[in-house]
Amino acid sequence: MQIAIQINKQVDDWDKWVDELEQIDSTASADDYDAEAKVVTLLVDQKSIDDHYHPVGGRYPVEFEGRTEFVEEIGICVHSCKWQDHNIINAEEVCAKLEGLDYVN
């Protein structure tokens, strides 16, 4: 399964970089480039991501209209999230998807 990641990368020649990308990882594909922010969005195989994280959260009581209800909150604590030695900018979102959680920003 492919997943969208974002990395910092100065790209002067998009076509040349796309060719280099194919040599680095034949399963990856370039999706978008924000020249102002120098951020590349890639679609990569989830197995190529070097991720270190753990889920966090719990169940908490919440008073609502005189009743106590329980709310379950689950999040991700990211220690490291890289692809080909590039730090992944959207690491929390990526790790949440790898964990099978719906990501909410």
Side-chain angles (χ1 to χ4, degrees):
M1 178 179 105
Q2 290 204 314
I3 192 165
I5 65 167
Q6 294 177 326
I7 61 171
N8 284 322
K9 178 81 174 159
Q10 171 69 42
V11 177
D12 297 318
D13 183 340
W14 179 255
D15 293 329
K16 181 180 176 185
W17 192 79
V18 169
D19 290 340
E20 290 174 8
L21 176 63
E22 289 177 4
Q23 293 175 0
I24 295 170
D25 184 344
S26 63
T27 64
S29 61
D31 187 50
D32 188 36
Y33 179 59
D34 181 339
E36 187 176 320
K38 296 182 179 99
V39 173
V40 177
T41 301
L42 304 171
L43 297 174
V44 301
D45 188 304
Q46 68 181 24
K47 293 177 184 170
S48 67
I49 296 172
D50 182 19
D51 58 302
H52 300 281
Y53 66 89
H54 68 271
V56 294
R59 193 170 176 197
Y60 307 99
V62 176
E63 289 287 329
F64 181 72
E65 295 182 358
R67 298 187 320 257
T68 300
E69 296 183 9
F70 288 90
V71 175
E72 190 167 349
E73 293 182 353
I74 299 174
I76 294 290
C77 179
V78 178
H79 303 283
S80 172
C81 191
K82 295 184 176 194
W83 175 82
Q84 300 290 333
D85 291 329
H86 292 278
N87 287 323
I88 296 175
I89 297 169
N90 59 332
E92 189 172 324
E93 178 183 354
V94 169
C95 291
K97 286 181 181 177
L98 293 172
E99 185 66 20
L101 302 174
D102 291 327
Y103 180 76
V104 178
N105 190 7

